[in-house]
């Protein structure tokens, strides 16, 4: 009986935890945050607005040429909007789903650059 | 009085003799004999060969039957691109990791290529041979040829192209003139193809040719059981890849004018390939009779051709060339001369080639030189590994070093004379590089 109650309390505790994790970690909240940040109104993807640190610069250098060209186009279009103090028409804004699908083009390259730098730092540490 | 006795010659001599004997006794030791060569084939078709010579340094190599011969017109130069791209990132290790780890254990990975083979080798001390082999096999089987890494190797490719000697250029052009495609493809990337080799073309070349049936794992200074265990790390597709297109010889000519005051002319006639062992050996002896460079530093060299080149007056030198491949070979001469007397030197060398004849004494001398050259190759474990690998790929078997003296002795003067007669009657292909103001065209020779 005591064992039973312990099992019951365990399952109920995990359910509470799961609920706690989805308080902000759900689609609705993410969509709201995406729309609030507003970079899609300039026609930009998430990876276009990353701050260009040395790592990001190296990752961009490794992009295939067509991805680099598309990024350059989107940035130029956004700069034009900024200069004209306007945003793109609503039908040209990338949607949340489109950004999830196409907007993380740089992430894989960036992770690779970070891993390589970490490896080099590790060797330098022990050298 | 005692000191006078000690100083007397009889006491001194006895003491010296006894001390000397003691010294000899303590330094005598037994030399461990090298074990014989062991060759075995694994279930996936990979050949494993090892020579345990108890050396403190282990030399491990993976040799693959892929070289410039396997290029097509569209993929010209891909083997050179592959050679400079050795050691780049693999699926499991970055190029930095390979470099650092091998350096850390004091090893070195190298990539050497011939027209019909590519050798990736690692040299380490015996105790860390496993580290070396791990990165070597990873480099051979899992290379990814990432686009940004391949383009970072371009400066190295251009440097190798720029630092070719004119003599090398002449030999490359001789192959191109004589064989056109296949063996005629150069070991160096043609200038119009520099930078055009992508990840896709490199990966396709390796996928097609790096298969277990055309590869061998070789070791010098490692036991056969250990090497067979490490062979599992080499993940190659099974199969023996595409077969070679038959070689055709054309007695053609190529000329390239370059600035300067020297002319480099290579001449070659067709011979049978290395599979015809007797003829190949006779041609190697013939090369040494024709002249294989000076044996004394700053010397002149004592071959038939050096005499012919010297007769032209001015500064000219000539030596014999003998290149053996699996199904064809080239035997002939390389003439290096000042531009003004190059024409006379080339004509003299060609007439010497067309009237070459050998004596017993010359053949005996050539046999000694050939044996010395063979033993020099055995001195260097990297060259020995390459030699073992090429023999395995071409003939499926490695000749043990102990057999060489009797094989060389078995060649008679008549065999070499027959090879000389064949050379005398053959059509020559020609390649000239440099200041060709006086160098005649092939049809005028």
């Amino acid at each position: 009986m005591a064992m039973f109650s312990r099992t019951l309390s365990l399952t109920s505790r995990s359910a509470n935890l799961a609920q706690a994790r989805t308080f902000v970690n759900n689609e609705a909240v993410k969509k709201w945050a995406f729309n609030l940040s507003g970079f899609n109104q300039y026609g930009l993807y998430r990876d276009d607005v990353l701050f260009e640190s040395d790592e990001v610069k190296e990752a961009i250098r490794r992009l295939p040429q067509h991805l680099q060209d598309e990024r350059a186009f989107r940035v130029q279009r956004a700069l034009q909007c900024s200069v004209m103090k306007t945003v793109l028409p609503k039908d040209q804004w990338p949607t949340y789903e489109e950004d999830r699908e196409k907007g993380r083009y740089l992430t894989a390259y960036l992770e690779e650059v970070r891993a390589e730098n970490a490896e080099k730092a590790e060797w330098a540490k022990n050298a | 009085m005692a000191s006078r006795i000690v100083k007397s010659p009889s006491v001194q001599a006895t003491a010296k003799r006894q001390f000397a004997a003691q010294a000899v006794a303590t330094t005598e030791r037994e030399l461990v004999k090298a074990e014989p060569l062991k060759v075995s084939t694994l279930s996936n078709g990979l050949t494993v060969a090892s020579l345990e010579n108890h050396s403190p340094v282990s030399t491990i190599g993976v040799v693959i039957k892929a070289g410039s011969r396997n290029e097509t017109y569209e993929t010209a130069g891909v083997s050179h691109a592959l050679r400079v791209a050795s050691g780049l990132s693999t699926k499991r290790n970055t190029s930095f990791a390979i470099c650092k780890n091998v350096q850390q254990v004091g090893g070195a990975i190298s990539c050497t290529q011939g027209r019909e083979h590519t050798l990736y080798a690692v040299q380490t001390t015996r105790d860390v041979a496993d580290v070396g082999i791990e990165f070597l096999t990873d480099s051979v089987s899992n290379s990814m040829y990432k686009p940004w890494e391949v383009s970072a190797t371009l400066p190295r490719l251009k440097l190798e192209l720029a630092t070719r000697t004119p003599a090398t250029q002449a030999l490359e052009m001789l192959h191109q003139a004589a064989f056109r495609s296949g063996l005629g493809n150069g070991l160096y990337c043609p200038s119009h193809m520099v930078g055009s080799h992508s990840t896709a073309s490199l990966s396709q070349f390796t996928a097609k040719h790096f298969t277990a049936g055309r590869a061998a794992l070789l070791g010098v200074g490692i036991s056969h059981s250990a090497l067979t265990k490490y062979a599992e790390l080499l993940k190659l597709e099974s199969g023996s890849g595409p077969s070679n297109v038959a070689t055709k010889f054309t007695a053609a000519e190529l000329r390239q004018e370059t600035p300067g005051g020297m002319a480099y002319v290579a001449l070659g006639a067709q011979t049978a390939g290395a599979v015809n062992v007797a003829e190949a050996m006779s041609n190697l002896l013939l090369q040494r009779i024709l002249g294989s460079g000076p044996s004394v530093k700053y010397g002149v060299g004592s071959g038939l051709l050096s005499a012919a080149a010297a007769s032209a007056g001015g500064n000219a030198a000539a030596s014999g060339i003998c290149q053996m491949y699996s199904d064809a070979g080239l035997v002939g001469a390389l003439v290096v001369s000042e531009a003004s007397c190059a024409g006379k030197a080339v004509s003299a060398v060609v007439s010497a080639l067309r009237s070459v004849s050998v004596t017993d004494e010359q053949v005996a001398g050539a046999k000694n030189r050939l044996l010395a050259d063979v033993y020099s190759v055995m001195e260097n474990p990297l060259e020995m590994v390459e030699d073992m690998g090429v023999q395995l790929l071409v003939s499926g078997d490695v000749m043990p070093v102990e057999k060489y003296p009797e094989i060389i002795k078995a060649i008679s003067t008549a065999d070499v004379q027959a090879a000389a007669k064949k050379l005398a009657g053959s059509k020559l292909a020609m390649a000239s590089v440099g200041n060709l103001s006086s160098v005649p065209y092939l049809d005028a020779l």
Side-chain angles (χ1 to χ4, degrees):
Chain A
M1 198 60 199
M3 207 170 65
F4 222 54
S5 61
R6 227 187 307 134
T7 328
L8 275 170
S9 65
L10 273 170
T11 46
S12 65
R13 189 167 171 275
S14 65
N16 282 337
L17 275 174
Q19 268 187 333
R21 279 194 220 112
T22 59
F23 186 70
V24 287
N25 195 15
N26 58 48
E27 285 292 294
V29 171
K30 288 180 192 178
K31 245 186 185 166
W32 171 79
F34 173 77
N35 289 320
L36 183 66
S37 40
F39 53 77
N40 67 328
Q41 297 182 21
Y42 286 110
L44 293 168
Y45 290 147
R46 195 222 34 199
D47 279 352
D48 298 334
V49 297
L50 289 173
F51 175 71
E52 278 196 26
S53 63
D54 289 334
E55 288 178 337
V56 174
K57 281 194 185 128
E58 174 64 21
I60 294 165
R61 190 189 72 91
R62 295 182 181 189
L63 279 175
Q65 192 59 43
H66 66 281
L67 286 178
Q68 285 191 29
D69 294 341
E70 286 168 17
R71 177 195 167 94
F73 169 76
R74 286 192 299 274
V75 166
Q76 285 168 8
R77 185 176 57 181
L79 282 171
Q80 184 63 26
C81 288
S82 169
V83 155
M84 296 197 305
K85 298 194 198 287
T86 179
V87 292
L88 293 178
K90 197 153 182 199
D91 57 314
Q92 290 182 22
W93 296 0
T95 61
Y96 172 77
E97 288 78 22
E98 190 189 331
D99 183 77
R100 286 249 125 181
E101 190 192 321
K102 295 194 208 156
R104 284 94 206 289
Y105 59 89
L106 196 65
T107 315
Y109 295 93
L110 190 55
E111 288 309 315
E112 201 179 337
V113 171
R114 287 192 175 134
E116 284 180 17
N117 287 344
E119 187 182 35
K120 286 185 181 147
E122 198 62 39
W123 274 93
K125 208 200 295 182
N126 293 333
Chain B
M1 197 193 81
S3 60
R4 251 191 287 141
I5 294 171
V6 167
K7 276 192 217 154
S8 73
S10 55
V11 175
Q12 288 294 322
T14 320
K16 279 199 187 119
R17 220 182 314 132
Q18 281 174 344
F19 286 146
Q22 240 180 19
V24 164
T26 47
T27 56
E28 234 176 80
R29 59 196 155 95
E30 224 179 272
L31 277 171
V32 186
K33 262 196 106 82
E35 287 176 28
L37 178 77
K38 289 198 182 97
V39 183
S40 61
T41 312
L42 301 183
S43 54
N44 62 351
L46 181 74
T47 316
V48 179
S50 73
L51 183 67
E52 172 67 289
N53 59 358
H54 303 289
S55 156
V57 171
S58 290
T59 310
I60 317 291
V62 178
V63 73
I64 297 161
K65 199 171 172 179
S68 59
R69 182 177 186 159
N70 307 94
E71 293 171 7
T72 63
Y73 190 81
E74 291 78 24
T75 58
V78 71
S79 58
H80 190 189
L82 196 69
R83 187 161 84 236
V84 297
S86 74
L88 295 183
S89 294
T90 68
K91 293 192 187 95
R92 291 209 307 267
N93 294 301
T94 59
S95 61
F96 177 80
I98 295 174
C99 178
K100 275 287 190 178
N101 279 299
V102 173
Q103 268 180 356
Q104 190 71 4
V105 300
I109 294 189
S110 58
C111 177
T112 321
Q113 238 178 20
R115 290 191 146 77
E116 294 185 303
H117 72 279
T118 303
L119 167 73
Y120 295 92
V122 67
Q123 279 194 302
T124 58
T125 48
R126 279 188 96 94
D127 49 343
V128 289
D130 54 334
V131 175
I133 298 176
E134 178 199 334
F135 287 101
L136 176 74
T137 51
D138 190 37
S139 191
V140 171
S141 19
N142 301 324
S143 269
M144 294 197 68
Y145 305 115
K146 294 180 181 167
W148 53 91
E149 291 191 340
V150 170
S151 44
T153 63
L154 268 183
R156 171 69 189 266
L157 191 101
K158 290 178 185 167
L159 177 70
E160 289 194 4
L161 283 173
T163 51
R164 278 176 301 176
T165 62
T168 312
Q169 278 178 293
L171 282 172
E172 293 287 298
M173 282 168 60
L174 176 66
H175 285 84
Q176 199 182 345
F179 299 122
R180 294 188 178 164
S181 64
L183 284 174
N185 291 329
L187 289 170
Y188 295 92
C189 185
S191 39
H192 69 279
M193 294 294 286
V194 170
S196 67
H197 301 288
S198 59
T199 305
S201 59
L202 287 168
S203 308
Q204 272 168 23
F205 188 81
T206 49
K208 202 170 165 199
H209 295 102
F210 283 27
T211 58
R214 316 163 65 93
L217 180 63
L218 312 146
V220 171
I222 188 170
S223 68
H224 199 75
S225 49
L227 195 60
T228 315
K229 198 161 49 84
Y230 291 129
E232 293 161 22
L233 292 171
L234 191 60
K235 302 269 185 300
L236 291 173
E237 300 279 317
S238 58
S240 51
S243 53
N244 284 333
V245 179
T247 309
K248 268 172 40 172
F249 176 87
T250 323
E253 172 181 25
L254 278 174
R255 291 166 79 94
Q256 184 178 14
E257 312 273 345
T258 62
M262 302 283 285
Y264 302 77
V265 180
L267 300 143
Q270 187 187 21
T271 59
V275 281
N276 188 339
V277 179
E279 207 175 323
M281 294 296 234
S282 309
N283 279 316
L284 286 170
L285 289 174
L286 183 61
Q287 181 199 9
R288 273 137 190 93
I289 294 173
L290 289 173
S292 50
S295 333
V296 175
K297 211 168 179 182
Y298 307 122
V300 153
S302 61
L304 293 174
L305 295 180
S306 4
S311 73
N315 287 326
S319 59
I321 55 178
C322 176
Q323 303 274 22
M324 286 290 146
Y325 304 105
S326 56
D327 61 348
L330 281 174
V331 68
L334 175 68
V335 184
V336 178
S337 159
E338 276 180 341
S340 48
C341 59
K344 283 198 225 100
V346 170
S347 311
V349 164
V350 170
S351 16
L353 284 175
R354 289 199 175 129
S355 61
V356 61
S357 144
V358 301
T359 65
D360 282 326
E361 203 186 329
Q362 285 172 330
V363 172
K367 283 183 184 176
N368 288 333
R369 273 203 291 283
L370 180 60
L371 200 55
D373 289 342
V374 165
Y375 285 148
S376 305
V377 165
M378 298 292 132
E379 290 280 297
N380 184 343
L382 268 177
E383 288 187 29
M384 184 156 52
V385 160
E386 192 176 1
D387 182 61
M388 275 163 61
V390 171
Q391 284 189 45
L392 267 176
L393 292 180
V394 166
S395 62
D397 210 5
V398 182
M399 189 82 71
V401 180
E402 306 84 53
K403 289 241 170 63
Y404 273 113
E406 44 179 273
I407 293 175
I408 293 175
K409 210 193 272 189
I411 305 168
S412 64
T413 311
D415 294 329
V416 186
Q417 182 63 18
K421 205 147 176 256
K422 190 162 172 229
L423 172 60
S426 302
K427 284 207 162 85
L428 291 171
M430 180 167 158
S432 326
V433 175
N435 183 329
L436 308 180
S437 47
S438 70
V439 173
Y441 284 81
L442 185 59
D443 50 11
L445 283 169

